[in-house]
Amino acid sequence: MKKITIFLSIMFIVFFFRGVITAHADEMVLKPRVPADKMALAKGMANPGSLDKGFISAGKEIFSGKGRCAMCHGETGKGDSPMAAAFNPKPRDFTNLQWQKVRTDGEIFWAISEGTDYGMIPFGSSLSEKERWELVNYIREIGRLANPTLAKEQ
């Protein structure tokens, strides 16, 4: 009987902490990177090239090249580059369906432009406005490719 009690206690602890860790991870995925006082401005930004194939292919070039995004976010946008291990929190995983659904294009554009308090540096002075929107569209494409149901919703 004592062994069963110990076993059940260990299982409870394992499942409890796994739930806490998962809840924290979900919270970090969904946590906005735009400061509260800038959120209305970011959410109000209109994407000038949403789903435009030219914007998407140009964004892919910037992601892997001039924008240096892949250095942290990885070539596939999963936040799994070799450098990612050094960051806390880890770089954003653009394939995450939850994140793709809750973040607006304006929020993504704002984070690219201004950087975040979570380690992302600002690119507003090194990338043109058009290039930043091209990146937004490519980041959305990463999400659609990883989540076919997302493509159907848009």
Side-chain angles (χ1 to χ4, degrees), residues 1-138:
M1 184 66 154
K2 186 175 181 180
K3 288 181 181 181
I4 291 174
T5 303
I6 292 171
F7 174 76
L8 290 175
S9 297
I10 291 170
M11 293 305 293
F12 172 78
I13 291 168
V14 167
F15 283 107
F16 174 78
F17 282 108
R18 189 176 86 186
V20 169
I21 291 167
T22 301
H24 178 70
D26 288 346
E27 176 186 313
M28 288 307 294
V29 166
L30 300 178
K31 187 172 183 155
R33 300 300 194 246
V34 177
D37 65 328
K38 305 289 186 205
M39 187 61 79
L41 173 69
K43 284 187 173 192
M45 292 179 178
N47 186 334
S50 183
L51 300 179
D52 179 286
K53 293 297 180 193
F55 263 57
I56 293 168
S57 64
K60 182 176 183 176
E61 292 292 319
I62 296 164
F63 189 89
S64 296
K66 180 180 179 181
R68 301 179 307 277
C69 311
M71 289 177 62
C72 297
H73 294 282
E75 285 297 325
T76 60
K78 291 183 179 182
D80 61 354
S81 76
M83 289 178 54
F87 296 106
N88 186 19
K90 301 278 183 248
R92 180 70 74 202
D93 175 358
F94 299 130
T95 67
N96 183 290
L97 180 61
Q98 287 180 299
W99 180 81
Q100 284 280 348
K101 285 184 172 186
V102 299
R103 296 285 71 90
T104 66
D105 290 352
E107 289 175 84
I108 300 168
F109 181 86
W110 193 95
I112 293 167
S113 302
E114 305 297 328
T116 71
D117 291 340
Y118 296 87
M120 181 164 160
I121 60 172
F123 288 90
S125 62
S126 59
L127 298 173
S128 71
E129 181 175 345
K130 182 177 185 234
E131 289 171 322
R132 287 176 275 148
W133 280 116
E134 290 166 341
L135 270 176
V136 169
N137 287 290
Y138 179 63

